[in-house]
Amino acid sequence: MVYVLSVNGKPLMPTNNAKARILLKQKKAKVITVRPFTIQLLYETTTYTQSIILGIDSGYLNIGFSAVTEKKELISGEVKLLQGMKERLYERSMYRKIRRQRLRYRKPRWSNRIKSKKQGWLAPSIQHKLDSHIRFIDSIYKILPVTKTIVEIANFDIQKIKNPDINGAEYQQGDMLGFWNIREYVLYRGGHKCQNPNCKNKDKNPILEVHHLNYRSNGATERPEDLITLCTKCHTSPNHKGFLKDWKPKLKNFKDATFMSIVRWYLVNILKEKYNNVSFTYGYITKNHRINNKIEKSHYNDAFCIAKGINQIRIKPVKIEQVRRNNRSLEKFYDAKYIDKRTSEKVSAGDLNCGRRTRNKNKNGERLKNFRGQKVSDGQRRIRAGKYFYQPNDLVRYEGKIFTVRGTQNGGKYIALKEIKKVPKVELLTPYKFNKGFVYGLC
């Protein structure tokens, strides 16, 4: 499928590869984008279009999309949204606080820092995902003359997800009823004992700490389900990969449900302001349509059902990944690697640490450093001196074909490509397209 724009840049009905090849060969059209392949006509033509319904399966991690006419599907696929926005914002805030603490003394100036949040304000991480939905839908409108858009929305009752039998006043009576804070509840839940079954702490009154079962980067929260009681000797980094890794019960993340409950009307109202004939539907309607027509469950199939697709000729779906426009990290650290004498396996130096956590040696953990065997690789601090011309996901031409950049090697002298193992020199490549934002995968 080749998408077509008029001489004025307005979207027309797509055409087939053969016709597009003839137009390009006769210099009657030019290529606008490669993925998805879009051409623009260089002559005046009729602007007749058919009725096209765009179905959007919105979500926290993925966006399913499908545009259909009465007879066939014009575009279909799913978008993998960028993750880790909250962690990057938290890291930026941390570095800013440290930098400001090292400035010269000045009097506090809080009067110009207090700003009331405007109505409709969203957290930056949620606002980013909402903006990503809008930008992607805009990109569909740029290549197809969409006449109607249907968005699936949902409102989730998280307390009912956790407890299906909850009712009435029980919504106000959570597990922490009667406790001062989360820490007190977690200690009480654990019986004021260390939850490590192999705890070797022999203190009569061990110091207990509330520990996160997972890292923040992997979705850890302050919910009691994400916390556990450990003593100071068991609160060590190696235990993250030990008994804590398979700790029961398995945690359920409600980020996607919370996101949809917050932004569902934001998304619909913004689209209604920008485009005509925008409506919404619900998940149970989509599920019923999919089951009745025996359609397999997937994000793009859900979008096909949202667009009321039934017997249309389907198109091969595309996979799209959202990538960062710029990585501002100038330094990366790689830990040293050693052979563990106990298992003869290669592990990082952090896993075989000295066990020291406090100045009181009696409170420190086991000295795992003694089990370091042969050193496999040194620890490294790699500092980026400058930005290279080619970045990951850029398209380049090499030996008459188009390839995707995976990364650079040897200070930017060689370019690694995703499709082949050969690593050519940078002089042998010519730029074709610099890909940032939404990157289309191969169909």
Side-chain angles (χ1 to χ4, degrees), residues 266-280:
Y266 285 90
L267 179 59
V268 172
N269 293 334
I270 292 173
L271 291 176
K272 284 184 176 180
E273 291 179 1
K274 300 185 69 172
Y275 306 109
N276 297 324
N277 204 1
V278 175
S279 61
F280 58 88

Side-chain angles (χ1 to χ4, degrees), residues 159-184:
Q159 287 184 281
K160 204 168 188 66
I161 294 175
K162 295 166 64 175
N163 180 16
D165 300 326
I166 194 170
N167 188 22
E170 294 179 357
Y171 277 96
Q172 284 77 39
Q173 300 173 359
D175 296 335
M176 294 176 55
L177 182 66
F179 295 92
W180 286 96
N181 51 36
I182 297 177
R183 184 178 186 277
E184 182 186 3

Side-chain angles (χ1 to χ4, degrees), residues 311-323:
N311 298 320
Q312 288 87 344
I313 300 173
R314 301 297 301 272
I315 192 174
K316 188 175 182 180
V318 296
K319 291 188 177 180
I320 306 173
E321 183 178 0
Q322 187 182 18
V323 298

Side-chain angles (χ1 to χ4, degrees), residues 193-207:
K193 295 180 180 179
C194 179
Q195 298 301 298
N196 186 358
N198 298 320
C199 180
K200 299 179 181 180
N201 195 338
K202 298 181 180 180
D203 291 350
K204 293 182 179 180
N205 297 311
I207 300 176

